[in-house]
Amino acid sequence: MTKCLLIITGRYARPVTHSARRIGRSLALVLPVVLVLSGTLAVTAVPWANQGSGTQMLTASSKDVSARAKSRAPQDILRDRLLAELQEKDPGVALTSLQREMKYTPSLAKHCVAIARALGQAAVRQYGPTRAQSYARPVCDTAYASGVMYQS
């Protein structure tokens, strides 16, 4: 007596032979390998993969991976933005923006003195000590004025 599996489809039952099962297992093993290899070859063979050398294959290596870009702290981003604003406009506009930012983002208040001092030093470099001092405001406990005095 041979063993066979019955598959019930609709109303009829039909036996599955050993050879059909063997073909199904072979396809289950070979088909994913073929799909992965064909997909890999298709990606490396597209024209935009490597336009200069034609048939050269692209491979990834741990030596070629650049270091992960460090994320910048919010206070550094704010300081750089305000320094650019000082360069483009004037220190008064940058100080107003600093006051506004401290009002809307209180978590940056502990960095206000350092940022205002950096603005004062940059203002002296761009406008000179006398003109830079004329923009002084009582923002962040007069740290801008101390930055002007420190730089001059």
Side-chain angles (χ1 to χ4, degrees):
M1 179 174 203
T2 61
K3 293 182 180 178
C4 71
L5 180 66
L6 291 176
I7 296 180
I8 300 175
T9 58
R11 294 187 303 185
Y12 302 103
R14 60 184 172 152
V16 176
T17 62
H18 180 66
S19 61
R21 191 177 307 133
R22 191 170 12 151
I23 291 171
R25 285 182 185 164
S26 298
L27 282 175
L29 291 174
V30 173
L31 191 60
V33 173
V34 170
L35 290 174
V36 167
L37 287 176
S38 64
T40 304
L41 292 175
V43 169
T44 58
V46 293
W48 47 262
N50 193 1
Q51 296 179 359
S53 63
T55 61
Q56 182 180 3
M57 297 290 264
L58 296 176
T59 58
S61 166
S62 63
K63 296 176 186 175
D64 297 336
V65 176
S66 63
R68 174 176 259 175
K70 294 182 181 178
S71 60
R72 297 181 60 209
Q75 66 269 13
D76 296 335
I77 295 170
L78 175 63
R79 184 190 65 236
D80 292 346
R81 182 173 55 90
L82 292 174
L83 287 171
E85 195 171 309
L86 183 139
Q87 295 289 326
E88 292 172 5
K89 298 175 184 170
D90 64 51
V93 174
L95 287 171
T96 301
S97 296
L98 178 62
Q99 283 178 322
R100 188 178 315 116
E101 194 67 36
M102 291 303 118
K103 179 180 176 184
Y104 294 124
T105 315
S107 62
L108 292 175
K110 60 186 172 187
H111 304 286
C112 184
V113 171
I115 294 171
R117 190 172 293 136
L119 288 173
Q121 293 169 354
V124 169
R125 285 191 297 271
Q126 184 169 353
Y127 296 104
T130 306
R131 186 163 176 216
Q133 188 61 38
S134 69
Y135 291 103
R137 294 190 191 156
V139 61
C140 303
D141 297 329
T142 65
Y144 173 83
S146 68
V148 170
M149 290 175 41
Y150 175 77
Q151 186 65 25
S152 51

